[in-house]
Amino acid sequence: MQTTARTLRYQPLDLARWVIWGSTALLMAALPVFFTQGFAITLMSQMGVAIIFTLSYNMLLGQSGMLSFGHAVYSGLGAYFAVHTLNLASKGQLWMPVPLLPLVGGLAGAVFGVLFGYVTTKRAGTTFAMITLGIGELVFSCSLMFPDFFGGEGGVTTNRVFGKPFLGITFGPAVQVYYLIAFWCLVSMALMYAWSHTPLGRMANAVRDNPERAEFVGYDTQKVRWYTLIISSFFAGIAGALGVINFEIVTAENVSAVRSGGVLLAAFIGGVGFFFGPIIGACVFVYFVVALSDHTKAWLLYLGMFFMLMVMFAPGGIASLIMMQVQLIARKRFGRIWRQYLAAGASGLLVLAAVILTVEMTYKVSVDSSGGTLMKLFGVEFDAAAAGPWAVAIGLWIVGGWLFNAARKRVAHTYGEIQAEFLQGRP
Amino acid sequence: MNRLIRAAALGAATTLLAFGAQAQTVKIGFIDPLSGLMAPVGQNQLHSWQYIAEIANQKNWAGGPKFEIVGFDNKLSPQESLTVLKQVVDQGIRYIVQGNGSSVALALADAVAKHNERNPGKEIVYLNYAAVDPDLTNSKCNFWHFRLDANSDMKMEALTTFLAKDKNIKNVYLLNQNYSFGQAVAKAAKDYLAKKRPDIKIVGEDLHPLAQIKDFAPYVSKMKAAGTDTVITGNWGSDLALLIKAAKDAGLNANFYTYYAATTGVPTAMGAAGEDKVRFVGYWNVNNEKFVGADVAMGYQKKFNDDYYTMATYTGIALLAKAFKETKSTDPVKVAHALEGMKVESLNGEVEMRKSDHQALQPLVVAKWVKVDGKTVKYDQEKTGYGWKTEALLPTYLATQPTSCQMQRPK
Amino acid sequence: MEFFVISLLNGVSYGLLLFMLSSGLTLIFSMMGVLNFAHAAFYMVGAYVAYSVGLKIGFFPALFVAPVVVGLLGAAVERYGLRTVHRWGHVAELLFTFGLAYLIEETVKVIWGLAAVPYRVPAALDGHLFTLYSTSFPKLRGFMMLVALLMLLSVWLLLKRTRIGLVIQAALTHPHMAEALGHNVPRVFMLVFGGGCALAGLAGVIGGVAFITEPSMAASVGPIVFVVAVVGGMGSLAGAFLASLLIGVMQTFAIALDWSLAGMLGAIGISVNEATPLYSLWKLQISQVAPVLPYLLLVLMLIFRPKGLLGTRAD
């Protein structure tokens, strides 16, 4: 992986890049000013951690074509090492300031990446997926078998506040933790972005797209996969350690298949094809898991539905949908289509209302009926067992479905037209 | 001077007014699984709390303040519970209750202590109604945590006291889930049996992974091969139901002494398979001598079409109500101090919240799974036609354990 | 001896149930290259449908109705879901079934509730088939074995001895040729997917009654089914059969053994106690590790023989 000294370089003034990164940093810094509630801060902290974790996962799935079902192993083990380090540090047996703890987690993750990665990356494709599944289950089962290290069912708890405050920072208040996470999140994002432009990052893309050819050119595909996995585990470990600082607890669920599956969902929903896709995915996913589950008990159902719709109709994730619009805007076609988007969005809302109404009423009647069938939705109180609300739901389905279908067709038509113009080379 | 007195009197009067005249509502955050595998149990217990709160509000137990239970889903995850805790704080809720999973309880107790230390004036009181890891009131005790259930050691003490009387028991097998609670059960069983009946042989001891075994037949054949006549298990949920089913299938003629055979789902799963074989140790059984609490259970049954078994909800609300009344305040710090050493009359008799470790001391029962006969066993569970027959009532002193807790009290 | 024979019987019968589950998965994979993550979910649907239908018409009719229902559901999923996703490639298909598993589980909860349903053993199967020494062998387990063997036989006959089986095999190896010869390959795919799901449904009818019918039953068998299919060799029915028996027997016997490294070292004179470093590792008994063994086997198999016991291809 060497580059010749004089490569042809195309370097336009990267103003856009500076603007994007700068505004991201500003946004992260400003968010706690607007959302001051404790819960909002935790939610944002969790999103920060999830962003690192999902991006590290996408290094495998999106950039190297490795579908892993056991990525939580690395973040989880990183978290365990971080929590033990933190406990030692708070007892004074070890010097380790809290802000540097993510490095411990990262290193631990990377070490296990070296270890497990050597085994898993020997193969690609389905075999890789299966072997990661097996290792994930193995580590999870072990976590309950060795309570000394993993803390058994109760996990390992810790206290992030110890020692003398440095410049008044104790990491007691959640806001301070948020800024720490935001800092690491930004650094990790930048590093992972930079990685995707290194020779290794480019080779990973090549190995994803055409392993035979990459091999033929003289690269060891197995090594490329292995190195990528190690770096990815490093960032996963950072995410794990930040989770430790945020929650002050690590439990076996940190290495569980649920966590591994979650990060897959998050990355895919966001879009694996673009660097920023997983960032969106992580935020949406955390919102689903943490916030939506307080509004409805059927949150898993909505998440499942949302995921399925994405897989079926937008396999590029939210990111690809955004990029499609960016293309339209950039080439000044958005004005032709936005009214149709609006129509589709409005009728889509009707369908969404129909879905929500149906799901919530069914849930109320079949699962939650013991406390009576009265329920409140959108600020309206009604009886889920009565015929009226069901008639409304059916009505919404029919009207919404019909309108949405019509709107969808028009959007598809116009979009097709525009694409055809692009193909003909019109500006 | 005069004005000052007047002002003070006015101030006192307004506070009294605020407390007395306006019915103040105390919100209690219920943090337990409301989705996922354990949701049926969590749902049942949420209803239990709500039902008892309703009774308390009707009868004005607290002398003014009303109770409102707000359910939060923690998905049985310690980590998720901490997120939920933040939300609870945001909503200005100052009392929380939780019960499922010692893992969650340990995490919550720890988090509440940290929160109270970091946020003086916003303290939270935590009532634990079912997590029974002994550590919570021993090495890891803290001032803000109060346990309404008997801990695992106390239950084992009661269970072995009862078991020791049965001279037919010779070979005991211990089967538990491989985590802190299961290990505690196994250890306590060995210790107490060695003390009470040294002649009983522990013919086998197994720890299996939590909620991963689909087929218990191999364990049962191991029990058979060892000549087991009694099985002691802390298993819960499907791990218990499957075990009893497998034992019946293989014709294992052994008694089962359990902790959790009366919780949602298990009765349905074991059905007739557990008849005359399965016992549980707990703090209350609706089929008690005088059917105390049957009215509550029936009212609950009528309202929710489910069984009321989490009697700790009754104790919990009664304790809080008494503390509100005594302190004339709903301030968590004052209430927590008042709860220490408090005694209330609950459905199983007198319950005392021990001052030294915040462990409730109460009588325990051992009950057996039998067909409903309408006389001693009037009420069945989960409409199976089977119910729990009280076999022994163990007075409070019997199960009381010393504590190693060194309570740190806030000034 | 009694213990050995009974354990063997237990192991074989558990293995046969695993086979019922994994055969559908293997069939679908060998045919379409789709790793069906929702397979265990179809197993669960089978159990629930059999319970509901069984309330009306009895267990034995339900034994036939439930798999058909599940099969139709599977075919519908293939027709209206999987086929749409097919053009995005195998990863998308896999993710589709991954999401489907979530969706099915949640839908089951909505329809049948969160708690276990009282799905009971029918009177005809309740009781003991025979008593060996002093341990009785339940009829239900015997029935389970019988159904599994019948299933193996009929699937094998279907694939090897019927015309449709030939078409399926042709479509498996040479889809374009089969299509050129006028066979509707997409329909064959739909048939296979539905058929595989029906097999899972059949396993559900038996598994639901033998164990517990509850919303988490899918999640509890999901990973192990994969292990069986992979260890046996992706796409090999005979391999799946062998692997099922292997894992069933292995797990059953591992539970029976109380050996630990500490005990073994003790036998050769090295004493291991709580002061020894890594004591928690030494004291682990094989019986405690038993449930992990399949995953260990999976990982080892994938490292040393990625095509599985009787598989033909590695990827």
Side-chain angles (χ1 to χ4, degrees):
Chain A
M1 267 158 261
Q2 54 181 19
T3 45
T4 43
R6 296 180 58 194
T7 34
L8 191 63
R9 299 197 81 139
Y10 169 67
Q11 268 187 327
L13 180 61
D14 249 342
L15 201 62
R17 186 176 291 174
W18 284 107
V19 169
I20 289 174
W21 284 100
S23 50
T24 309
L26 266 180
L27 182 71
M28 281 177 152
L31 273 175
V33 180
F34 300 109
F35 301 97
T36 47
Q37 279 179 316
F39 179 64
I41 302 272
T42 338
L43 190 67
M44 290 187 299
S45 299
Q46 285 193 51
M47 282 178 178
V49 175
I51 285 172
I52 304 178
F53 189 35
T54 315
L55 277 176
S56 82
Y57 182 78
N58 200 43
M59 266 169 125
L60 300 182
L61 178 61
Q63 290 174 326
S64 321
M66 292 188 273
L67 177 62
S68 167
F69 287 106
H71 201 52
V73 166
Y74 306 109
S75 72
L77 288 174
Y80 271 108
F81 276 90
V83 78
H84 285 298
T85 310
L86 193 58
N87 278 339
L88 286 179
S90 61
K91 278 188 220 149
Q93 292 164 349
L94 201 76
W95 179 85
M96 178 51 67
V98 174
L100 295 183
L101 194 69
L103 283 180
V104 176
L107 284 179
V111 168
F112 283 100
V114 172
L115 216 68
F116 295 144
Y118 182 70
V119 176
T120 52
T121 53
K122 280 194 171 172
R123 312 262 157 197
T126 316
T127 316
F128 174 81
M130 292 288 91
I131 208 165
T132 52
L133 184 83
I135 286 192
E137 291 286 337
L138 258 182
V139 172
F140 179 65
S141 307
C142 286
S143 70
L144 293 172
M145 249 175 246
F146 301 106
D148 303 349
F149 181 76
F150 292 100
E153 182 209 20
V156 183
T157 51
T158 184
N159 192 346
R160 65 190 177 214
V161 183
F162 65 89
K164 288 204 186 83
F166 176 71
L167 293 178
I169 299 172
T170 57
F171 292 111
V175 175
Q176 295 178 3
V177 174
Y178 167 78
Y179 278 115
L180 180 69
I181 290 175
F183 168 76
W184 276 99
C185 184
L186 204 65
V187 170
S188 306
M189 267 158 58
L191 285 177
M192 281 189 263
Y193 184 74
W195 173 84
S196 65
H197 289 264
T198 61
L200 179 63
R202 296 301 192 200
M203 270 328 290
N205 291 357
V207 169
R208 168 196 68 194
D209 295 334
N210 199 335
E212 282 93 357
R213 203 154 160 186
E215 193 120 357
F216 196 73
V217 179
Y219 289 96
D220 186 343
T221 54
Q222 187 191 329
K223 283 233 172 83
V224 172
R225 284 196 297 265
W226 189 27
Y227 295 154
T228 307
L229 187 106
I230 293 170
I231 296 169
S232 160
S233 326
F234 175 75
F235 287 108
I238 288 182
L242 285 172
V244 168
I245 298 173
N246 190 23
F247 288 110
E248 304 183 289
I249 185 174
V250 188
T251 56
E253 77 192 272
N254 281 56
V255 293
S256 69
V258 177
R259 213 34 86 78
S260 300
V263 71
L264 166 59
L265 288 191
F268 197 85
I269 286 175
V272 294
F274 297 93
F275 180 78
F276 67 94
I279 300 174
I280 301 172
C283 295
V284 171
F285 184 76
V286 169
Y287 182 78
F288 259 105
V289 172
V290 181
L292 197 64
S293 64
D294 292 313
H295 297 304
T296 167
K297 280 171 203 147
W299 66 278
L300 261 172
L301 188 65
Y302 293 117
L303 182 64
M305 267 193 231
F306 185 59
F307 179 71
M308 299 269 289
L309 284 177
M310 292 304 287
V311 174
M312 284 175 72
F313 301 110
I318 299 174
S320 76
L321 294 180
I322 293 177
M323 290 313 281
M324 277 157 71
Q325 310 324 316
V326 169
Q327 185 203 25
L328 294 187
I329 294 169
R331 298 177 75 168
K332 301 198 174 58
R333 298 295 199 288
F334 197 69
R336 251 167 64 193
I337 202 168
W338 71 271
R339 281 185 199 83
Q340 297 171 14
Y341 276 146
L342 213 62
S347 54
L349 278 181
L350 281 184
V351 177
L352 185 68
V355 171
I356 293 175
L357 196 59
T358 315
V359 169
E360 294 299 323
M361 285 198 299
T362 319
Y363 236 78
K364 189 76 199 169
V365 171
S366 66
V367 180
D368 199 20
S369 64
S370 42
T373 49
L374 272 183
M375 62 183 287
K376 209 173 163 185
L377 201 66
F378 309 126
V380 184
E381 200 160 300
F382 56 91
D383 185 2
W390 287 97
V392 172
I394 294 170
L396 275 176
W397 272 114
I398 295 171
V399 176
W402 181 70
L403 283 176
F404 181 71
N405 200 34
R408 185 187 61 87
K409 275 184 188 151
R410 281 175 53 198
V411 167
H413 180 73
T414 315
Y415 191 79
E417 258 179 24
I418 295 173
Q419 290 299 318
E421 286 169 22
F422 288 163
L423 277 181
Q424 288 160 13
R426 278 189 250 163
Chain B
M1 190 66 201
N2 212 353
R3 265 165 75 187
L4 205 73
I5 292 173
R6 216 186 291 164
L10 197 74
T14 24
T15 22
L16 266 178
L17 256 170
F19 185 76
Q22 285 180 341
Q24 188 191 355
T25 301
V26 177
K27 282 191 180 176
I28 299 177
F30 171 94
I31 306 181
D32 258 317
L34 294 173
S35 67
L37 177 60
M38 290 295 272
V41 179
Q43 199 63 253
N44 174 300
Q45 287 163 338
L46 174 61
H47 291 153
S48 301
W49 280 104
Q50 285 170 336
Y51 189 67
I52 302 298
E54 206 174 285
I55 294 178
N57 291 345
Q58 265 169 21
K59 300 191 179 157
N60 197 14
W61 285 3
K66 301 273 179 234
F67 294 97
E68 186 191 337
I69 314 288
V70 188
F72 293 90
D73 182 14
N74 71 356
K75 311 184 190 89
L76 198 57
S77 138
Q79 211 148 306
E80 192 72 35
S81 307
L82 302 192
T83 316
V84 169
L85 183 67
K86 295 240 165 62
Q87 221 177 332
V88 168
V89 175
D90 274 357
Q91 297 191 7
I93 296 174
R94 309 287 289 275
Y95 293 90
I96 58 168
V97 295
Q98 181 274 342
N100 288 294
S102 294
S103 52
V104 177
L106 284 162
L108 266 184
D110 195 48
V112 165
K114 272 181 219 153
H115 169 86
N116 292 352
E117 197 186 307
R118 290 173 196 168
N119 303 282
K122 284 186 180 173
E123 285 85 353
I124 286 174
V125 167
Y126 165 31
L127 300 184
N128 158 16
Y129 65 91
V132 298
D133 189 330
D135 280 354
L136 281 164
T137 46
N138 284 291
S139 60
K140 291 181 180 155
C141 70
N142 84 58
F143 178 75
W144 308 101
H145 164 263
F146 295 86
R147 171 150 50 202
L148 306 169
D149 197 351
N151 75 34
S152 140
D153 285 352
M154 296 163 78
K155 287 186 175 177
M156 188 53 76
E157 181 83 65
L159 197 65
T160 46
T161 306
F162 174 78
L163 187 150
K165 289 181 193 138
D166 188 346
K167 294 293 170 206
N168 292 326
I169 295 177
K170 291 188 180 68
N171 297 329
V172 169
Y173 200 103
L174 307 173
L175 185 71
N176 285 293
Q177 294 149 330
N178 193 8
Y179 70 84
S180 57
F181 162 66
Q183 286 156 358
V185 171
K187 187 175 171 295
K190 276 187 284 187
D191 290 354
Y192 294 139
L193 280 178
K195 247 187 284 168
K196 289 174 186 156
R197 281 282 300 278
D199 61 308
I200 287 183
K201 262 202 300 192
I202 308 284
V203 292
E205 186 193 343
D206 262 316
L207 293 169
H208 65 79
L210 182 66
Q212 279 189 30
I213 310 284
K214 286 123 252 168
D215 186 9
F216 275 91
Y219 291 100
V220 172
S221 54
K222 216 171 148 186
M223 287 173 187
K224 255 201 119 142
T228 307
D229 55 38
T230 300
V231 179
I232 297 181
T233 176
N235 279 15
W236 48 269
S238 63
D239 280 344
L240 179 59
L242 287 174
L243 171 66
I244 292 169
K245 246 180 152 177
K248 179 209 160 206
D249 283 347
L252 175 71
N253 192 21
N255 300 305
F256 281 83
Y257 286 86
T258 73
Y259 280 31
Y260 291 117
T263 51
T264 306
V266 180
T268 301
M270 67 183 181
E275 188 180 358
D276 282 332
K277 295 227 178 71
V278 180
R279 288 178 181 79
F280 83 89
V281 59
Y283 43 53
W284 180 70
N285 171 22
V286 63
N287 295 308
N288 52 40
E289 204 186 351
K290 289 180 185 142
F291 297 99
V292 181
D295 51 332
V296 176
M298 283 306 103
Y300 183 89
Q301 169 80 258
K302 209 172 143 196
K303 181 155 187 202
F304 296 112
N305 193 23
D306 201 349
D307 300 295
Y308 176 79
Y309 55 80
T310 315
M311 199 278 300
T313 54
Y314 193 93
T315 317
I317 298 282
L319 277 168
L320 279 184
K322 195 172 170 188
F324 290 165
K325 222 175 189 170
E326 274 184 7
T327 58
K328 294 199 172 47
S329 155
T330 58
D331 176 50
V333 184
K334 285 185 193 155
V335 168
H337 279 288
L339 283 174
E340 289 198 301
M342 182 178 273
K343 288 178 184 172
V344 289
E345 194 62 30
S346 190
L347 297 179
N348 57 345
E350 190 186 67
V351 180
E352 181 194 344
M353 182 54 70
R354 183 158 68 179
K355 189 169 180 183
S356 57
D357 61 347
H358 296 188
Q359 167 67 55
L361 305 178
Q362 57 196 324
L364 296 176
V365 295
V366 176
K368 188 165 82 171
W369 187 241
V370 295
K371 262 215 169 79
V372 168
D373 62 3
K375 286 190 294 266
T376 53
V377 186
K378 267 196 204 165
Y379 304 104
D380 71 343
Q381 202 178 357
E382 299 189 354
K383 302 193 182 71
T384 51
Y386 290 86
W388 297 99
K389 178 184 172 179
T390 304
E391 284 203 314
L393 198 66
L394 302 137
T396 307
Y397 71 87
L398 235 168
T400 303
Q401 306 284 320
T403 176
S404 62
C405 169
Q406 289 172 332
M407 188 73 71
Q408 306 271 329
R409 292 187 175 78
K411 302 273 148 45
Chain C
M1 188 61 201
E2 169 190 357
F3 180 61
F4 179 79
V5 174
I6 289 295
S7 290
L8 192 67
L9 270 174
N10 279 335
V12 168
S13 61
Y14 179 56
L16 283 171
L17 180 76
L18 283 182
F19 168 69
M20 277 203 271
L21 257 168
S22 53
S23 58
L25 185 74
T26 298
L27 209 64
I28 292 171
F29 181 78
S30 63
M31 180 70 207
M32 312 167 60
V34 178
L35 257 180
N36 185 9
F37 260 85
H39 200 72
F42 284 107
Y43 159 79
M44 173 164 75
V45 174
Y48 272 101
V49 169
Y51 158 73
S52 291
V53 174
L55 286 180
K56 300 242 161 52
I57 56 172
F59 175 79
F60 289 99
L63 186 64
F64 293 94
V65 174
V68 172
V69 172
V70 177
L72 289 176
L73 183 71
V77 163
E78 201 283 334
R79 175 66 187 82
Y80 297 104
L82 217 47
R83 203 176 289 182
T84 325
V85 181
H86 187 69
R87 59 194 149 130
W88 314 122
H90 280 330
V91 170
E93 286 178 316
L94 205 153
L95 291 173
F96 177 82
T97 62
F98 187 74
L100 187 66
Y102 273 80
L103 205 60
I104 292 182
E105 191 178 319
E106 289 306 305
T107 315
V108 160
K109 281 184 199 161
V110 169
I111 299 176
W112 282 283
L114 300 167
V117 293
Y119 182 16
R120 297 194 195 292
V121 182
L125 293 177
D126 203 8
H128 304 314
L129 190 61
F130 55 84
T131 303
L132 204 69
Y133 307 97
S134 70
T135 306
S136 46
F137 192 74
K139 273 186 198 163
L140 187 66
R141 273 186 181 258
F143 184 69
M144 193 155 101
M145 293 165 86
L146 181 75
V147 172
L149 289 174
L150 280 179
M151 198 178 92
L152 174 68
L153 191 72
S154 45
V155 170
W156 186 78
L157 283 178
L158 183 80
L159 283 180
K160 300 282 173 187
R161 290 282 180 274
T162 62
R163 199 181 141 72
I164 184 83
L166 284 178
V167 175
I168 288 175
Q169 285 193 355
L172 159 68
T173 48
H174 301 92
H176 296 297
M177 190 51 112
E179 197 141 39
L181 286 174
H183 297 292
N184 188 344
V185 172
R187 190 193 287 164
V188 173
F189 277 20
M190 189 172 90
L191 214 69
V192 170
F193 196 84
C197 291
L199 291 182
L202 180 63
V205 180
I206 311 264
V209 76
F211 305 127
I212 288 184
T213 306
E214 61 171 358
S216 68
M217 66 189 285
S220 69
V221 295
I224 200 111
V225 175
F226 274 98
V227 174
V228 170
V230 173
V231 169
M234 288 313 264
S236 161
L237 211 55
F241 185 70
L242 213 62
S244 315
L245 288 185
L246 179 73
I247 288 174
V249 172
M250 184 179 78
Q251 245 182 315
T252 311
F253 273 97
I255 288 169
L257 302 174
D258 286 333
W259 299 341
S260 67
L261 285 170
M264 277 161 72
L265 290 173
I268 55 168
I270 305 168
S271 97
V272 176
N273 54 39
E274 292 189 21
T276 318
L278 298 177
Y279 178 68
S280 54
L281 180 70
W282 302 118
K283 73 169 181 198
L284 272 187
Q285 294 174 351
I286 293 189
S287 56
Q288 269 166 265
V289 194
V292 187
L293 289 179
Y295 304 112
L296 202 62
L297 184 70
L298 169 78
V299 172
L300 292 178
M301 185 62 95
L302 284 171
I303 296 170
F304 295 111
R305 196 182 157 80
K307 59 184 176 180
L309 286 176
L310 298 177
T312 44
R313 54 182 168 184
D315 260 323

